[in-house]
Amino acid sequence: MIVMKFGGTLMGSADAIQHSASLVTSSVKAGTQVVVVPSAMSGVTDSLLKIASSAENGEIAFAADEIASIKTRHITTARALGAASDSSAVAKLEGMFSSLEQTVNGIYLLRELSKRSRDLIVSFGERLSAPLMTVALESLGVTAHDLTGGQAGILTNNAFGNARPLPATYERIPQRLNGLFEQGITPVVTGFIGETDKGAITTLGRGGSDYTATIIGAALNADEVWTWKDVDGVMTSDPRIVSDAQNLEFLSYAEIMEMAYFGAKVLHPLAVTPLQKNNIPLRVKSAADPSFPGTLVTANATPLKNVVKAVTAVRNACIIDIGGAGMVGAADVTAQIFNILANLEVGAVMISQSSSMANISLVVQQNDGKRTLEALQRQFADSEQVRTIEFWEKISVVAIVGDGMRGARGVAAKLFSAVANEGISIDMISQGSSELNISFAIDDEFTVQAVKAIHAAFHLDKLEP
Ligand code: ASP
Ligand code: MG
């Protein structure tokens, strides 16, 4: 059995969906059971987020126009895939659009948008795209049935916007899907969403369809999970920045997690976690070129001579530096800082503390920057220990990642001379003790230059087996 996830671009138009469906049906017709996990049509998640916030702000006309254009896009696509105007698929889509309109109207009337209602609105992206995949599969002669993540058994906690699956998920999924397989039906499960024990819809965080696929893969003990992309597999760097970036044929779970965490838009950062227990391989495959090997992710990557395998960057970040000579020995200052981050649900991209404990620096994403700063300023307004809180915007965090860095000498020296040779100054440095990555913060304007220089310094244009 294989779980196949399709990203937004591969669900973006009737042609794209038709092609994605053909990648499924060729496996099904060869006798492999497949679970299909589609993302929303490209751009729809972002547009639903805009609809939600404009309803909250009273801009209902904008929201209505935007809903109308998404509706036209979905109905036209369904028709182009062969669904008749009186088909159950079109009726299903129309029903969903009236439910979306009602929800958005409720938000408009209350001028209130909770995380819970935002998740409900954004879930329409995948709930609308899954029926399109079903239509496409059926037109290619494969019987299919679409379900929401919750219907397929994904039970999550209440962390709306960033929900996590609960253990019962792994028992429910086989209970809900095995019956379909027995009838020869291919399940199509909406990516990105689950539900709470009360039946409220939750989302697994941006890019969460990957996570849906691996949760299902683990629950069904699948042979492999495939994430289909519109580009080659996982690369040594962003090919839009580095023109000679190479495809990485093998990566370990730990490496791809580090890369995802440090800004490579390859996979949801937690997506491999469900696969680790039973060592289920993940393949990142190219829909444009299905015979291309892509990237195979397993517990242990096949080693390359290159110790560093990738250079990534997190753009749009800021640094908050908390300082004061009185902080020496002040463990409770550290505790308070982490508490604030936890209460605000802000994940720090990077943290460093000078060993004199005279200051602690954090890098957080730009959208979290101001509110984190304000919360820290309130907390430490009358503090004897914290004297200064400084804030820098337009920062990026550049990271190098690779299993082979563990214990290798000279990696940091080579990295920082490459950056120094470009005349770029470094604001902050951190290396995890796992030695899987070294990351550092610089002014965002130098990101492209730094990434290119590091890619060249580590000869990532030539991977050596
Ligand atoms: N549609 C969701 C997003 O854009 C989930 C996904 O595509 O994986 O974040
Ligand atoms: Mg998407």
Side-chain angles (χ1 to χ4, degrees):
M1 173 189 301
I2 300 179
V3 182
M4 297 190 185
K5 177 254 167 177
F6 293 91
T9 314
L10 302 178
M11 293 297 297
S13 65
D15 284 348
I17 297 173
Q18 190 83 40
H19 178 62
S20 298
S22 74
L23 298 169
V24 174
T25 54
S26 59
S27 287
V28 173
K29 288 180 178 164
T32 307
Q33 290 180 326
V34 178
V35 180
V36 189
V37 178
S39 291
M41 293 184 88
S42 50
V44 168
T45 303
D46 288 330
S47 120
L48 289 165
L49 286 168
K50 264 194 254 152
I51 289 168
S53 60
S54 48
E56 182 192 22
N57 296 326
E59 297 151 15
I60 196 64
F62 173 85
D65 286 352
E66 195 79 8
I67 294 175
S69 90
I70 301 182
K71 181 169 177 178
T72 309
R73 185 169 168 204
H74 282 81
I75 305 279
T76 318
T77 306
R79 302 278 288 114
L81 289 169
S85 53
D86 60 355
S87 63
S88 61
V90 170
K92 184 169 187 175
L93 294 176
E94 274 168 352
M96 258 184 303
F97 277 104
S98 27
S99 146
L100 172 62
E101 277 157 14
Q102 276 173 27
T103 315
V104 169
N105 207 39
I107 287 163
Y108 166 67
L109 293 174
L110 294 165
R111 302 288 198 277
E112 181 186 70
L113 178 64
S114 62
K115 284 190 170 176
R116 182 186 292 256
S117 25
R118 186 185 283 120
D119 268 7
L120 177 59
I121 289 188
V122 94
S123 76
F124 279 94
E126 273 71 7
R127 286 157 67 199
L128 289 163
S129 69
L132 299 175
M133 176 57 89
T134 303
V135 170
L137 289 170
E138 300 220 313
S139 76
L140 295 174
V142 165
T143 317
H145 178 67
D146 49 272
L147 310 89
T148 64
Q151 289 165 340
I154 301 181
L155 181 74
T156 72
N157 62 12
N158 283 322
F160 292 95
N162 228 345
R164 298 289 165 259
L166 297 173
T169 297
Y170 297 97
E171 288 151 32
R172 289 179 175 217
I173 291 173
Q175 287 163 6
R176 310 262 174 112
L177 298 188
N178 283 343
L180 294 175
F181 286 129
E182 279 156 20
Q183 299 168 66
I185 298 172
T186 298
V188 177
V189 181
T190 59
F192 189 43
I193 61 186
E195 68 187 39
T196 67
D197 56 353
K198 295 206 182 77
I201 289 194
T202 52
T203 65
L204 305 171
R206 290 308 301 267
S209 301
D210 296 326
Y211 201 12
T212 304
T214 57
I215 291 168
I216 294 174
L220 298 176
N221 202 13
D223 298 302
E224 295 192 354
V225 174
W226 293 3
T227 65
W228 289 98
K229 305 241 160 199
D230 55 327
V231 291
D232 290 348
V234 182
M235 306 195 75
T236 51
S237 197
D238 183 342
R240 285 163 304 180
I241 296 185
V242 184
S243 57
D244 53 10
Q246 301 294 308
N247 180 60
L248 289 157
E249 255 187 82
F250 305 98
L251 283 173
S252 67
Y253 295 133
E255 286 174 326
I256 201 162
M257 265 203 295
E258 297 281 339
M259 290 176 67
Y261 181 81
F262 285 110
K265 294 206 167 46
V266 287
L267 204 69
H268 185 292
L270 293 177
V272 294
T273 55
L275 303 181
Q276 285 174 300
K277 194 164 139 233
N278 289 328
N279 264 324
I280 299 171
L282 173 90
R283 265 180 218 278
V284 181
K285 289 183 64 83
S286 162
D289 185 4
S291 62
F292 186 76
T295 303
L296 177 63
V297 187
T298 53
N300 300 303
T302 305
L304 292 174
K305 293 216 177 68
N306 310 59
V307 286
V308 170
K309 293 190 186 160
V311 196
T312 61
V314 177
R315 312 289 297 259
N316 294 320
C318 40
I319 295 183
I320 303 177
D321 185 82
I322 301 141
M327 274 169 64
V328 175
D332 60 319
V333 171
T334 318
Q336 289 170 49
I337 295 172
F338 284 112
N339 245 324
I340 288 178
L341 292 176
N343 289 338
L344 296 174
E345 294 180 28
V346 167
V349 182
M350 192 173 147
I351 297 170
S352 95
Q353 179 173 38
S354 60
S355 45
S356 67
M357 290 218 224
N359 70 320
I360 295 173
S361 309
L362 312 170
V363 177
V364 298
Q365 306 272 8
Q366 182 71 40
N367 357 348
D368 297 326
K370 284 267 160 54
R371 61 195 183 100
T372 311
L373 174 70
E374 284 160 13
L376 290 165
Q377 282 166 336
R378 275 196 301 278
Q379 174 81 20
F380 295 116
D382 305 313
S383 163
E384 309 253 294
Q385 289 153 318
V386 172
R387 304 268 168 80
T388 56
I389 301 181
E390 287 181 69
F391 185 58
W392 291 287
E393 294 181 283
K394 300 208 172 79
I395 294 292
S396 77
V397 172
V398 177
I400 55 173
V401 175
D403 263 343
M405 283 161 60
R406 205 173 283 134
R409 283 178 226 182
V411 177
K414 194 186 246 180
L415 170 66
F416 294 122
S417 21
V419 179
N421 286 340
E422 298 293 312
I424 300 170
S425 92
I426 292 175
D427 299 322
M428 205 175 138
I429 298 176
S430 142
Q431 177 178 31
S433 53
S434 66
E435 288 189 53
L436 274 171
N437 75 73
I438 302 176
S439 56
F440 59 93
I442 56 176
D443 290 356
D444 187 67
E445 58 179 305
F446 300 121
T447 311
V448 169
Q449 198 185 340
V451 167
K452 281 186 172 154
I454 296 164
H455 198 270
F458 286 101
H459 304 293
L460 290 179
D461 56 329
K462 281 186 232 67
L463 296 177
E464 288 182 68

